[in-house]
Amino acid sequence: IYSALGSTGLPATPTVQGDFTVRSKVRSQTMSGPGYYLPNVEWVLYFYQGYALHGTYWHNNFGNPMSHGCVNLTNQDAQWFYDFAQIGTPVRVQW
């Protein structure tokens, strides 16, 4: 078992809660949307539509809502989950 402190979505862009599974894994990618452009986001695990657990290099305010809906983790924590989880691994998002 592994535990990590993360940051979920801001009030205007909340993170979905519930039980999901890892649907796909991407080693590194650019993420962008209204008001943000983030190249080289690492250790990405998609679990529901465009929602993912992933590494974060642009802030270190973990434990506080900071994202556009994804679950932000340190790169070290995100790599642990990436290496551990296979497609189909259960993911529970709650706070």
Side-chain angles (χ1 to χ4, degrees):
I1 302 294
Y2 189 88
S3 178
L5 189 60
S7 291
T8 55
L10 293 162
T13 54
T15 302
V16 295
Q17 293 189 67
D19 293 317
F20 309 97
T21 60
V22 173
R23 302 206 178 236
S24 65
K25 295 170 62 171
V26 180
R27 173 60 184 84
S28 178
Q29 71 175 90
T30 296
M31 291 185 169
S32 63
Y36 68 99
Y37 176 82
L38 301 166
N40 302 315
V41 178
E42 296 187 292
W43 317 112
V44 183
L45 294 102
Y46 284 98
F47 60 87
Y48 177 75
Q49 296 179 358
Y51 294 88
L53 306 165
H54 60 72
T56 306
Y57 59 81
W58 53 93
H59 77 80
N60 62 1
N61 196 19
F62 300 102
N64 297 295
M66 292 291 297
S67 81
H68 286 87
C70 287
V71 178
N72 293 179
L73 301 167
T74 67
N75 278 327
Q76 179 181 347
D77 290 335
Q79 182 178 3
W80 189 95
F81 286 111
Y82 187 93
D83 291 343
F84 171 81
Q86 300 176 18
I87 303 301
T89 298
V91 175
R92 174 170 285 166
V93 181
Q94 66 183 44
W95 58 91

